[in-house]
Amino acid sequence: MTVLSLTNLSKRFGSNHVLDGLELHIKKSEFVSILGPSGSGKSTLFHMIGGLLTPDEGTISLNEEKINGITGKISYMPQSPSLLPWRSILDNTLLGQELQGKTDESRAKEMLKVAGLGEYLNAYPHELSGGMKQRAAFIRALLSPQELMLLDEPFSALDELTRSDMQQWLLQIWEKHKPTILFVTHNIEEAILLSDRIVILSHRPAKIKEEVIVPFSRPRNEQLPLSEEFIHFRQKLHKLLQEENKQP
């Protein structure tokens, strides 16, 4: 079952042509990552899917419903946790549900406990580490009623060890709940470790240069990046990205 369909999607800002005829289809419970050169339009694409921008051409469909320019249809997690400082961690995770008029506090508490935040239900964001804030923000996105999650480089600001821990935690959460995820990252290794499929964007105006199926079975573990097969696959993707970064 296809959850998200992007058909012939194009976007310009004056003379700046950002996206050109982009086509992408994501199935239910699929984890798809987007890689591309800096400035290739990844954030613009997310803003269009979220309804903050309207495409000049093309159609964005969610479960076969056209959602061009319509907000509130997807769950979104930005680079920073964006937790409200005056709300407790529990109340922050319930925010998405509140906006839809229905909350499930018992499920939020259960998920926070699984994430190692059971002792911080009534704490405030400034009392948590960066990784803990990211976990709370991800649970907020996961608890939102929308079926599709957009994750925009959620681990980019974390140190290497915390980032690795968060990747493993996200893998465990995905295995349990199987949300449909579209994930933007600049980290090739991260994209391979987490994804079912990787979409490589071309230089601006962006089209899909290549779609690559990740050849590794699930569940995945932290030892996978050390394997010869993983290293070879990473080199292949790195070469594809290098070709795009050399474009004028």
Side-chain angles (χ1 to χ4, degrees):
M1 175 184 173
T2 299
V3 172
L4 178 69
S5 289
L6 310 178
T7 306
N8 194 33
L9 215 60
S10 296
K11 184 64 180 178
R12 297 174 179 82
F13 296 100
S15 61
N16 188 4
H17 196 176
V18 180
L19 300 173
D20 182 27
L22 191 142
E23 299 265 347
L24 178 63
H25 306 280
I26 299 176
K27 297 178 181 178
K28 182 178 176 63
S29 298
E30 192 175 19
F31 196 125
V32 178
S33 287
I34 297 178
L35 290 172
S38 296
S40 60
K42 297 183 290 293
S43 295
T44 298
L45 178 60
F46 265 29
H47 290 160
M48 286 197 292
I49 297 172
L52 299 177
L53 293 173
T54 303
D56 297 325
E57 300 170 12
T59 302
I60 304 169
S61 298
L62 189 65
N63 293 318
E64 300 185 351
E65 174 191 356
K66 184 177 178 180
I67 60 168
N68 290 32
I70 301 176
T71 59
K73 294 293 185 177
I74 56 94
S75 177
Y76 176 69
M77 182 176 169
Q79 295 180 27
S80 62
S82 300
L83 300 176
L84 300 177
W86 60 87
R87 293 178 67 116
S88 69
I89 297 306
L90 176 60
D91 287 342
N92 264 290
T93 60
L94 292 170
L95 182 60
Q97 292 185 335
E98 285 181 17
L99 295 174
Q100 300 295 323
K102 183 180 180 180
T103 59
D104 187 347
E105 188 171 306
S106 61
R107 186 176 180 223
K109 288 180 178 179
E110 178 185 352
M111 293 189 70
L112 284 167
K113 289 177 182 177
V114 170
L117 298 175
E119 299 179 6
Y120 299 91
L121 300 179
N122 298 312
Y124 290 87
H126 73 272
E127 300 177 77
L128 272 63
S129 68
M132 294 165 75
K133 291 177 186 178
Q134 289 296 79
R135 293 185 188 197
F138 184 82
I139 290 172
R140 177 182 60 193
L142 194 62
L143 285 169
S144 297
Q146 295 86 355
E147 182 176 4
L148 175 66
M149 297 179 65
L150 305 185
L151 307 183
D152 188 0
E153 296 192 75
F155 309 144
S156 61
L158 302 177
D159 64 79
E160 185 175 351
L161 289 177
T162 304
R163 184 171 189 153
S164 178
D165 287 343
M166 288 299 299
Q167 290 167 355
Q168 292 302 315
W169 180 79
L170 177 53
L171 282 171
Q172 293 170 10
I173 292 293
W174 186 89
E175 288 288 347
K176 182 175 181 179
H177 298 279
K178 294 292 195 300
T180 305
I181 293 179
L182 184 58
F183 186 92
V184 164
T185 179
H186 282 94
N187 188 303
I188 298 174
E189 186 172 296
E190 181 172 74
I192 300 171
L193 182 64
L194 297 175
S195 309
D196 298 306
R197 182 160 49 106
I198 298 172
V199 173
I200 298 176
L201 295 184
S202 69
H203 193 78
R204 185 179 292 190
K207 296 182 178 181
I208 292 180
K209 174 183 176 69
E210 192 158 343
E211 294 186 40
V212 183
I213 302 296
V214 177
F216 306 111
S217 61
R218 295 186 185 273
R220 301 192 183 137
N221 60 64
E222 56 189 341
Q223 298 304 313
L224 177 61
L226 302 178
S227 69
E228 184 177 344
E229 294 81 6
F230 188 100
I231 294 171
H232 179 75
F233 190 66
R234 182 181 62 192
Q235 290 172 339
K236 174 185 175 180
L237 295 186
H238 185 262
K239 182 178 180 181
L240 288 171
L241 285 170
Q242 272 189 324
E243 291 173 357
E244 284 308 314
N245 282 324
K246 290 178 181 177
Q247 297 298 315

